[in-house]
């Protein structure tokens, strides 16, 4: 009896062992197959590299870059002449001379940040408007799609290459302005100024990449590059010209009388403020002004109570950043939203050779 | 034989339009299979589904034993696909275009360079490798497309209307190239076209595809057998009758020909005989004519080609 039990238990034990072995092998097999299906990033890098090369060699990019660079140089010279005077007059510590280089101008030319805010969207649109549609029209999209790369590599590569090109350009311009200031003045920027400028540059990259994403989305949706370019420009014009007009008309209807109560006026101002918050360019303007002008303490309307007891001084960089945090989040959200939509459209799409 | 492409019950709908209807097909290793059908028959859609480039509504696709809908990347690793009217980056040279594809397939750069040069030589583009693709002719682009497909060393090649827009000489060369490469490397080829002659020249097996349905499939000779069960052979004979010692008039000859075993029908038309028969009777026919004192000016055997099959099926296709 005992031996029987022993035998049974032994056989069961060996079975378990065998089972374990099988599982173990299975496990190894799975992990191996997992390794083979685990895609390396090498093809992605190749794609990004090619996109960057294409951008830089493209006349469109060269021309736009020249325009932006020239505009910035122009403002730089006029501001430098101007700022040297102001510095001579007002040699206090809070002068933020380097920030003035980005925001002030002598009136002959708009300042640097205006140029970036104005030409940035154009730049983003021009980099992205034919991203997918031109590949589709040339018949190269289906050729690339026939290679063993995940479909999203294509838009990811387009997007990343665009961002890299934009970043290089904007950082180059910002540092050019900084360097010019350094050369003329001979004093280095303070750490805070430097940080503010770097953060401003990073956020302007986010802003331009919003337009890039928007135009990539249009280029996925529309087969004709011209359609997507025009649509991109239309959106940009809508937000810079028409939307503020519409907001004005709406707001006019709610305008309280001169003798209305404080709270009514406050609500009215709030409404005015919030209505423009969905505009990407307004968001960016607010970010710019808070970051580059440290004395900006609030973006929306403030009540007298809120103002009470405030020290009339500049904000520290952390506080400025905190002030525009909602705007930064909004801008990022808009960018991601565009990306999400492009993703959804593109992944579901059937790709035929042409058209 | 190993199956390279296995398709069963494949269905694809665009709205209410049935593009591919319950397609079942299998292609063996090393075979050159021709997918023949008119424009809009669903050939390209089928190919897209084989590569997992479009969603499958029903059915199952297996390429090299891999499910193409579940695992399209693995399939694309093993399958070279030359799309219809393929495009290249025009401001890059042929070699650069090829290298880009090689790099997308994760072939190390040195290896890719070596492979690319070898393949360019094979397709006859080595001397123009550094010219921009925009200067290439249609035939050169198509050959570059083939190079593109070959660089990843595929097990299966899928060519979608590869001869479209090529001149006859270009077509001939291109087809020869495909056959040579396929035989040399044992690559399975799926070839879609609406030109029956091209398919007839190169393909081992043919599938006739009309309105999303595979109407017939098999070797060309078998297809003819399926279709034209009676009187598969038609022989045309021209006779000369200017000799003086003619004893039998032509009408008599017609009767005698009719008595040959297997002959079903004989028609006489101005010194030409058209003989329809179940088997090959050219031997007996020529002997008979010569023995009766006539001169035989020519004798041609007409076998049913893809042409006839094509027409026959398309008529049926229209009736559906």
């Amino acid at each position: 009896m005992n031996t029987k039990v022993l035998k049974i238990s032994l056989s069961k034990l060996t079975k378990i062992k065998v089972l374990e072995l099988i599982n173990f092998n299975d496990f190894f097999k799975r992990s191996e197959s997992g390794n083979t299906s685990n895609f390396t990033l090498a093809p992605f890098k190749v794609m990004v590299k090619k996109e960057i090369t294409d951008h830089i060699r493209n006349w469109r990019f060269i021309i736009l870059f020249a325009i932006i660079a020239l505009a910035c140089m122009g403002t730089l010279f006029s501001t430098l002449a101007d700022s040297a005077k102001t510095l001579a007059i007002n040699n206090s510590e809070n002068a933020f001379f380097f920030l003035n280089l980005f925001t002030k101008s002598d009136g002959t030319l708009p300042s640097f940040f205006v140029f970036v805010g104005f030409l940035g969207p154009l730049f983003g649109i021009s980099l992205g408007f034919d991203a997918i549609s031109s590949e589709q029209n040339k018949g190269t999209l289906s050729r690339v799609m026939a290679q063993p790369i995940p479909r999203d590599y294509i838009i990811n590569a387009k997007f990343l290459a665009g961002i890299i090109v934009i970043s290089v350009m904007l950082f180059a311009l910002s540092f050019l302005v900084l360097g010019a200031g350094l050369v003329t003045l001979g004093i280095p920027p303070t750490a805070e100024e430097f940080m503010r400028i770097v953060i401003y540059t990073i956020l302007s990259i986010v802003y331009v990449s919003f337009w890039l994403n928007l135009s990539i989305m249009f280029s996925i949706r529309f087969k004709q590059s011209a359609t997507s370019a025009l649509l991109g420009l239309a959106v940009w014009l809508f937000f810079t010209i028409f939307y503020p007009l519409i907001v004005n008309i709406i707001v006019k209807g709610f305008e309280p009388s001169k003798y209305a109560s404080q709270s009514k006026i406050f609500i009215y101002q709030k409404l005015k403020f919030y209505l423009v918050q969905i505009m990407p360019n307004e968001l960016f303007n607010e970010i710019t002004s808070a970051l580059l002008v440290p004395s900006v303490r609030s973006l929306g309307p403030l009540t007298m109570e809120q103002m009470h007891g405030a020290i009339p001084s500049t904000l520290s960089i952390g506080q400025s950043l905190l002030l525009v945090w909602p705007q930064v989040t909004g801008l990022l959200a808009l960018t991601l939203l565009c990306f999400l939509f492009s993703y959804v459209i593109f992944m579901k799409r059937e790709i035929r050779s042409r058209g | 034989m190993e199956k390279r492409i296995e398709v069963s019950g494949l269905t694809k709908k665009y709205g209410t339009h049935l593009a591919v209807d319950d397609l079942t097909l299998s292609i063996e290793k090393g075979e050159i299979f021709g997918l023949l059908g008119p424009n809009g028959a669903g050939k390209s859609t089928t190919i897209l589904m084989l590569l997992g480039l479009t969603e499958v509504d029903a059915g199952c696709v297996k390429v090299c034993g891999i499910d193409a809908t579940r695992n399209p990347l693995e399939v694309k690793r093993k399958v070279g696909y030359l799309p219809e009217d393929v495009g290249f980056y025009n401001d890059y040279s042929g070699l650069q275009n090829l290298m880009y594809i090689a790099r997308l397939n994760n072939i190390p750069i040195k290896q890719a360079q070596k492979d690319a040069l070898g393949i360019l030589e094979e397709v006859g583009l080595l001397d123009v490798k550094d010219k921009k693709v925009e200067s290439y002719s249609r035939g050169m682009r198509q050959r570059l497309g083939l190079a593109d497909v070959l660089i990843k060393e595929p097990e299966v090649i899928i060519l979608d209307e590869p001869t479209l827009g090529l001149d006859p000489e270009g077509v001939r060369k291109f087809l020869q190239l495909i056959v040579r490469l396929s035989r040399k490397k044992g690559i399975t080829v799926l070839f879609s076209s609406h030109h029956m002659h091209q398919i007839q020249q190169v393909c081992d097996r043919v599938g006739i595809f009309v309105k999303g349905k595979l109407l017939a499939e098999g070797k060309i000779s078998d297809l003819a057998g399926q279709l034209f069960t009676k009187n598969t052979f038609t022989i045309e004979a021209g006779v000369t009758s200017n000799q003086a010692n003619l004893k039998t008039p032509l009408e008599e000859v017609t009767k005698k020909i009719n008595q040959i075993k297997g002959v079903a029908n004989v028609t006489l038309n101005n010194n030409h005989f058209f003989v329809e028969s179940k088997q090959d009777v050219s031997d007996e026919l020529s002997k008979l004519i010569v023995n009766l004192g006539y001169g035989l000016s020519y004798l041609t055997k007409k076998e049913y080609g893809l042409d006839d099959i094509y027409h026959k099926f398309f008529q049926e296709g229209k009736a559906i």
Side-chain angles (χ1 to χ4, degrees), chain B residues 33-72:
Chain B
F33 187 89
L35 202 55
L36 185 63
N39 295 328
K43 289 171 295 182
S44 297
T45 311
T46 308
I47 288 172
L48 289 185
M49 284 193 282
L50 285 179
L51 288 156
L53 286 177
T54 186
E55 280 171 50
V56 174
D57 287 335
C60 168
V61 185
K62 275 197 170 170
V63 181
C64 305
I66 303 161
D67 191 335
T69 37
R70 291 283 178 82
N71 216 341

Side-chain angles (χ1 to χ4, degrees), chain B residues 228-292:
Chain B
F228 308 98
T229 40
K230 284 181 255 165
N231 312 331
T232 324
F233 289 93
T234 302
I235 298 170
E236 198 183 334
V239 293
T240 48
S241 56
N242 49 1
Q243 280 114 327
N245 54 349
L246 281 179
K247 287 166 198 159
T248 40
L250 279 171
E251 284 71 30
E252 197 77 7
V253 179
T254 314
K255 275 182 192 164
K256 286 202 169 173
I257 293 173
N258 237 333
Q259 283 159 10
I260 298 175
K261 200 184 162 205
V263 172
N265 189 21
V266 184
T267 44
L268 174 66
N269 182 15
N270 199 14
N271 284 359
H272 298 285
F273 287 105
F274 294 93
V275 181
E276 286 175 32
S277 63
K278 281 186 184 126
Q279 71 253 29
D280 191 356
V281 292
S282 53
D283 210 24
E284 290 97 324
L285 186 68
S286 58
K287 269 180 201 158
L288 182 78
I289 291 171
V290 173
N291 282 342
L292 287 172

Side-chain angles (χ1 to χ4, degrees), chain B residues 95-226:
Chain B
L95 183 64
Q96 280 169 329
N97 263 294
L98 193 56
M99 281 297 289
Y100 182 55
I101 294 298
R103 300 286 290 132
L104 288 189
N105 280 288
N106 211 5
I107 302 170
I109 201 154
K110 275 187 185 158
Q111 172 86 26
Q113 229 139 19
K114 214 177 78 190
D115 289 359
L117 290 178
I119 286 165
L120 282 175
E121 189 175 8
E122 208 147 20
V123 298
L125 289 174
L126 197 61
D127 46 339
V128 287
K129 67 177 164 55
D130 292 320
K131 276 193 187 154
K132 280 188 179 176
V133 175
E134 56 189 353
S135 69
Y136 279 24
S137 70
R138 176 88 206 168
M140 284 153 91
R141 291 169 80 93
Q142 219 57 25
R143 274 182 283 155
L144 183 60
L146 193 61
D148 231 36
V149 164
L150 289 171
I151 191 133
K152 62 164 101 165
E153 297 185 335
E155 291 173 23
V156 178
I157 297 181
I158 297 178
L159 306 165
D160 195 355
E161 305 264 3
T163 53
L164 211 67
L166 295 185
D167 57 33
E169 184 61 17
V171 168
R172 202 177 58 79
K173 279 187 183 163
F174 190 77
L175 293 179
Q176 277 176 353
L177 191 64
I178 292 172
V179 174
R180 203 181 71 221
L181 291 171
S182 160
R183 298 282 180 259
K184 195 167 115 191
K185 295 179 180 172
I187 303 171
T188 312
V189 180
L190 176 67
F191 182 127
S192 107
S193 177
H194 58 255
H195 286 293
M196 42 212 150
H197 301 293
Q198 296 166 10
I199 294 238
Q200 197 164 15
Q201 275 173 40
V202 296
C203 294
D204 302 325
R205 265 196 323 142
V206 177
I208 294 178
F209 207 56
V210 178
K211 294 203 172 165
K213 281 201 170 105
L214 196 68
L215 290 183
E217 184 218 330
K219 292 203 170 85
I220 292 169
S221 54
D222 291 351
L223 277 185
Q226 274 176 37

